[in-house]
Amino acid sequence: MKRAFRTVLGIATAGVAVVALAACNGTSASSAGTGSSKQLTIGFVPGIASDPFFKAMQVGAEAKAKELRIKLLWQGSPSEYSPQSQIPFVETMLTQRVDGLVLVPTDPDALQPSVAKAQALKTPVVTVYTTVTDQSSLTAAITGDNADGGRQAAKTLATQIGDSGPVFLMNGSPTATTNQLRAKGFTEELANHPGIQLVGEEYAYSQPAKATSVVTSILLKFPDLKGIFAVDGTSGTGSVAALRNTGKVGAVKLIGYDAYDNQVADLKSGVYSALVAQKPGDEAALALQDLVDTLTRQNADKIQKNVVLPNVVLTEDNLAQTARYQYPAQ
């Protein structure tokens, strides 16, 4: 598959911005078990700092940092989900010699050299949400069960559209491992539903306006479209706008990923027919705990190398039981 990246708004600008990293939750922690009173500093580089999913992850990270009494440096590209935008932030974290690094790789291969550099500096790395191709040097790789999330989306959509009709896959990024696993699970499950036809797949690249344009075109091309699977939050936001603009809300079933306040509100009003919720705060909290355990040599032998957290499907019918999976407000 051909890789495409959005235009980077100046790597040099990003590099300057990174220098201004701010500390969050800097309290009087000590490196327990290491014989040092030095407060641990953990760097955290999300895929794109402005994305609501990563903001929900930041909430979990900041709460855990406060609990662990560590210094958290959280910084990432404000508007671009691409290796070109992310790598300067990672490089600055390593230059500052953080004690540990949590990373959401925007590309499994392009971020591999950054992980190798961290290893050379003896800086432990935990990946969350996405990961790198070679995970052998990672302390841990933590993610949601994305393939199963895609399968659950397909099963739910199949039930909602009577197991027949054309559907569309609104993907996020061709380089995000999570997006690809969701799409893979979705398409594999659709193979078990011969009455359903997948009429297309395109990418939004974390830009809601792109998703709106794509879905609008698909609705015009396929006026009998029965369903859409939007693999991430921004793809979902753009899809919602397209359905509203074309008067197709309710007529086209929309399965989204994640469970922000606005998404749950749209689920209640019938814009979304289902949401596949992750646990971004839990991913971040576990990553910080793993790094602290590694650095302090406490419970390090209990760290799981690969962790896959389960997803849950929210529908209007089961919301009373699943509402607790809604993401925290910012």
Side-chain angles (χ1 to χ4, degrees):
M1 179 179 294
K2 181 180 179 181
R3 293 185 176 178
F5 299 120
R6 296 185 307 282
T7 302
V8 181
L9 301 178
I11 293 177
T13 301
V16 173
V18 177
V19 176
L21 288 172
C24 298
N25 297 309
T27 56
S28 57
S30 63
S31 302
T34 65
S36 171
S37 60
K38 173 182 175 291
Q39 183 185 31
L40 293 177
T41 299
I42 305 296
F44 202 130
V45 182
I48 178 170
S50 58
D51 188 284
F53 176 80
F54 295 117
K55 287 182 177 294
M57 185 174 282
Q58 183 178 4
V59 170
E62 291 177 347
K64 190 65 175 181
K66 184 175 181 179
E67 174 192 328
L68 295 173
R69 303 176 67 199
I70 62 175
K71 185 178 182 180
L72 176 69
L73 299 180
W74 175 285
Q75 189 75 346
S77 172
S79 59
E80 297 287 337
Y81 188 97
S82 72
Q84 296 99 317
S85 295
Q86 186 180 44
I87 288 172
F89 291 93
V90 179
E91 290 297 309
T92 298
M93 290 286 192
L94 296 177
T95 298
Q96 291 186 342
R97 300 302 296 268
V98 293
D99 296 300
L101 177 66
V102 184
L103 177 62
V104 181
T106 52
D107 183 282
D109 296 319
L111 271 295
Q112 194 75 60
S114 296
V115 172
K117 182 174 181 179
Q119 182 184 27
L121 293 171
K122 300 188 184 305
T123 303
V125 178
V126 173
T127 59
V128 294
Y129 184 62
T130 55
T131 191
V132 289
T133 303
D134 181 3
Q135 301 172 34
S136 60
S137 66
L138 297 178
T139 296
I142 304 167
T143 189
D145 195 340
N146 292 284
D148 184 65
R151 287 190 291 270
Q152 293 299 324
K155 289 178 181 178
T156 302
L157 184 57
T159 298
Q160 293 178 342
I161 65 174
D163 225 25
S164 67
V167 300
F168 178 70
L169 176 55
M170 187 66 254
N171 211 329
S173 165
T175 62
T177 54
T178 49
N179 288 181
Q180 295 313 301
L181 286 170
R182 293 170 196 170
K184 183 173 185 289
F186 182 75
T187 55
E188 287 180 348
E189 178 58 32
L190 284 188
N192 299 321
H193 304 269
I196 299 176
Q197 304 85 43
L198 181 63
V199 297
E201 173 185 4
E202 294 195 40
Y203 297 96
Y205 301 101
S206 294
Q207 299 294 329
K210 173 66 173 176
T212 300
S213 176
V214 166
V215 172
T216 299
S217 296
I218 290 296
L219 291 170
L220 290 172
K221 185 176 181 180
F222 299 96
D224 60 340
L225 192 74
K226 292 289 189 68
I228 299 169
F229 175 40
V231 304
D232 60 15
T234 49
S235 296
T237 298
S239 298
V240 166
L243 291 177
R244 284 178 169 151
N245 293 343
T246 57
K248 292 283 190 176
V249 169
V252 177
K253 301 299 182 183
L254 174 61
I255 310 290
Y257 229 93
D258 296 318
Y260 310 113
D261 289 346
N262 65 310
Q263 288 179 300
V264 173
D266 284 338
L267 175 65
K268 291 177 179 177
S269 66
V271 182
Y272 282 106
S273 58
L275 295 169
V276 182
Q278 304 179 80
K279 300 174 181 177
D282 290 356
E283 290 183 25
L286 181 57
L288 293 182
Q289 185 68 64
D290 284 350
L291 286 174
V292 169
D293 288 348
T294 296
L295 292 164
T296 62
R297 299 182 179 88
Q298 294 183 344
N299 302 313
D301 58 328
K302 297 180 181 179
I303 294 174
Q304 295 183 50
K305 181 80 172 181
N306 291 283
V307 178
V308 179
L309 300 179
N311 296 308
V312 60
V313 177
L314 284 64
T315 65
E316 189 175 5
D317 291 337
N318 72 11
L319 198 55
Q321 293 76 41
T322 59
R324 66 183 183 275
Y325 296 105
Q326 181 174 334
Y327 299 169
Q330 299 302 304

